[in-house]
Amino acid sequence: MFALVDCNNFYASCERTFRPELRLRPVVVLSNNDGCIIARSEEAKALGIQMGTPEFKCRDLLKKHDVSVFSSNYALYGDMSSRVMRLLGKLAPEIEVYSIDEAFLDMTSFTRFDLADYAGHIRKTVRRHTGIPVCIGIAPTKTLAKIANRIAKKNPEYQGVCVLKSHEEIYSALERTKVEDIWGIGRQWSKLLQAKRIVTAADFATASAPWIRKHLHIVGARIQAELQGTSCLEMELVRPAKQSICTSRSFGRSVSTLAELQQAVATFAGKCAVKLRKENALASMLTVFIATSPFDESGNRYWGTRTAALPHPTQDSIAILRAAETILAGIFQDGKVYKKAGVIVSGMVSKVSSSTTLSLFPEEEPVPNQRDTTLMQAMDAINHRYGHGAVHLASENSESWKPSQDHLSPCRTTSWNDILEVKV
DNA sequence: TCTGGGGTCCTAGGACCC
DNA sequence: TCTGGGGTCCTAGGACCC
């Protein structure tokens, strides 16, 4: 049996934990750049505020109902998440951290006990220790546990816990779940399925297996088997190594000059290098992209992207920044109004792997030396001790393109300075 | 005026190998 | 008229997740 523990309205709940006066009040959290609504408390949902709505489109509604609005504070959410996960890890023998606000627990060893009781205990414990409300779904497969969780969330009479065990319980849960609400079925496949009169999860579970295999491929076939109670998705206890790392942002204002883009791209490249070192990986390829607004109607849209091989697999900020600057120069077009840029590192090589390919022309591309490694270690150590951004490369600079964050809450769990600023 | 960020997996097709 | 069998690697595109 698998349990899926999912935090309720996670980002909104994190903000509310430190603002108890906002309990029972509508709260929303905005995406980066204060662009879209990405989290809503139950009260905000009740006002009809939709997920993903641009903030400017519901500004009046937010104001009218005195909704508390927050910029996203990922330092806070990340830290709150690790508290919740650490706790869950103590409450079950095996845990798979599936996302920032979700975890699967292996409940196999609890099946002789009352699962619903134990899930209730988990809920109370997490709430008491972290302040975060969670819902729990338990079932014989991960996909069914997702469905159980959804039922627990949508129906208050379940008190946050739903266990699907018998065939009857499972089938009736499938009948009341729409096909687009199944984990792994997105918009495109829903459309296709509905056109075939496959409307509920029960329809999907009993649909023609060859047809599913043909049109939804192996992924769809697996979902069908999971709905029928055959577990295809195992617990993943260790997170697989990342295959790519991306840092990208929309700009707080329009950017047109190469110099400004260089600052932004250098900053993203630097962040990618830090993430690489954290992941203990070397990248062998680098992609840079720059883009105008996708909503631009002037006919002057542009999406420029280019990928290049790095001379050596590396995690060195300086090498990555240099390569990124060269790529940027190649895709930059004058006269465009840029709104977004990003850097992606890929082609990962494990740092311990000895099979690093050396350059064909070493005299042109000197092999990275020990000094570079030591320098990066020193930079990381200083930033760890004195706070993010205490030292950085000179070309990293967020002055001109900085995303707007007008409603940012303090980092109360990760920054001493922010705690001192809390009014008593 | 204002519209997020970061990932994975799978398939098909083309190129290549013996 | 008839033209094998078994592979790998890479990329682009499409689907999905949070």
Side-chain angles (χ1 to χ4, degrees), chain A residues 27 67 75 86 139 172 201 204 242 279 283 285 299 322 329 378 415 421:
Chain A
V27 171
V67 178
R86 214 154 44 218
S172 88
F204 189 93
K242 283 204 163 82
E279 187 81 10
M285 290 194 289
R322 275 203 188 119
S415 157
E421 278 170 25

Side-chain angles (χ1 to χ4, degrees), chain A residues 64-218:
Chain A
K64 183 174 161 204
H65 294 279
D66 193 24
V67 178
S68 298
V69 177
F70 292 90
S71 302
S72 32
N73 183 342
Y74 291 105
L76 175 67
Y77 312 150
D79 186 67
M80 292 299 282
S81 171
S82 60
R83 288 167 193 236
V84 171
M85 298 308 171
R86 214 154 44 218
L87 201 51
L88 291 176
K90 288 183 190 159
L91 291 163
E94 309 277 26
I95 177 172
E96 171 186 339
V97 177
Y98 176 67
S99 75
I100 195 164
D101 71 333
E102 282 171 79
F104 287 103
L105 304 179
D106 178 8
M107 301 304 274
T108 312
S109 51
F110 292 89
T111 41
R112 286 166 46 210
F113 302 90
D114 186 320
L115 287 169
D117 272 1
Y118 191 66
H121 169 69
I122 294 177
R123 274 191 89 221
K124 280 194 205 105
T125 309
V126 173
R127 184 67 191 257
R128 189 168 64 237
H129 289 220
T130 67
I132 301 294
V134 302
C135 282
I136 302 179
I138 301 180
T141 71
K142 281 182 164 181
T143 307
L144 288 171
K146 274 272 190 182
I147 286 179
N149 188 290
R150 196 164 188 283
I151 291 172
K153 241 182 200 161
K154 299 271 168 194
N155 304 282
E157 64 272 23
Y158 280 80
Q159 301 197 24
V161 175
C162 172
V163 181
L164 302 177
K165 209 169 176 184
S166 70
H167 283 293
E168 295 71 36
E169 285 169 331
I170 292 172
Y171 194 77
S172 88
L174 294 182
E175 280 184 311
R176 49 201 281 217
T177 302
K178 286 186 281 181
V179 82
E180 64 264 37
D181 295 328
I182 302 171
W183 186 38
I185 303 293
R187 253 207 298 259
Q188 298 303 314
W189 286 357
S190 301
K191 258 205 302 207
L192 176 70
L193 291 168
Q194 280 155 6
K196 279 274 158 194
R197 305 238 174 281
I198 298 170
V199 179
T200 67
D203 297 338
F204 189 93
T206 52
S208 150
W211 188 88
I212 299 280
R213 179 64 182 83
K214 181 167 179 213
H215 292 95
L216 276 61
H217 319 291
I218 191 72

